[in-house]
Amino acid sequence: SYVAIFAVAVIDAFFPVVPSESMVIVAGTLAGTGDLNVFLVILAAWAGAVTGDNISYGIGKFAGEHTVKRLFKHPKAHRGFDWAEQQLEERGSYIIVIARFIPFGRTAVTFTAGYTAGLPWHRFFRYDVVAGGVWANPLTEGAHLMNQSTPT
């Protein structure tokens, strides 16, 4: 079970159609009944999230600049990437933590962080460890999903 939690969290970080939030909530529920160890659930989800985010960052670092320049040739697109780099430089900690709770947002942010020079890996990693820890807590995930389903 713990390997599955880890694997789903890793894959979800760069392929966001995998339901890692649901996996963490179910695993937390199973831990509450005594079927799993809550500490190991949190550790597996946390490690998987951080590993997957770093893979996405690495993909951005390796393929990002080349891909972006090839696919997005319009000056407006380049201004957008310049803006993203500036935002990551100025507000990287907030963006990384908040994006962890947005399924496609976390992939876009971690990929862009790898592509731009605005957030070097050592800073990214520190923020991502915090973001992954908060996200991996089953109580945090449950509250996050409850807020999404509450009508405004």
Side-chain angles (χ1 to χ4, degrees):
S1 296
Y2 305 112
V3 172
I5 295 165
F6 174 83
V8 168
V10 168
I11 294 167
D12 183 48
F14 60 90
F15 190 64
V17 295
V18 179
S20 63
E21 289 87 357
S22 300
M23 174 72 92
V24 172
I25 292 170
V26 168
T29 302
L30 290 172
T33 64
D35 292 332
L36 294 175
N37 180 306
V38 71
F39 176 74
L40 293 178
V41 166
I42 292 170
L43 190 61
W46 188 355
V50 171
T51 301
D53 288 347
N54 278 271
I55 290 171
S56 181
Y57 183 96
I59 292 169
K61 188 65 119 183
F62 178 74
E65 183 174 4
H66 208 66
T67 303
V68 168
K69 284 184 178 178
R70 190 174 40 129
L71 296 176
F72 301 101
K73 296 180 182 185
H74 195 276
K76 187 175 181 178
H78 289 280
R79 285 193 303 271
F81 282 104
D82 291 343
W83 177 84
E85 183 174 343
Q86 179 185 356
Q87 294 303 310
L88 285 168
E89 190 173 308
E90 294 174 7
R91 297 176 181 88
S93 60
Y94 305 116
I95 293 171
I96 297 299
V97 172
I98 291 168
R100 174 101 285 278
F101 290 91
I102 304 168
F104 288 93
R106 70 175 148 251
T107 305
V109 166
T110 56
F111 176 84
T112 303
Y115 163 73
T116 65
L119 194 62
W121 180 80
H122 67 278
R123 282 183 55 214
F124 169 82
F125 184 75
R126 285 194 312 254
Y127 302 147
D128 192 46
V129 167
V130 171
V134 173
W135 175 86
N137 185 328
L139 296 175
T140 304
E141 271 307 313
H144 168 67
L145 289 177
M146 285 175 45
N147 286 338
Q148 281 186 335
S149 64
T150 304
T152 54

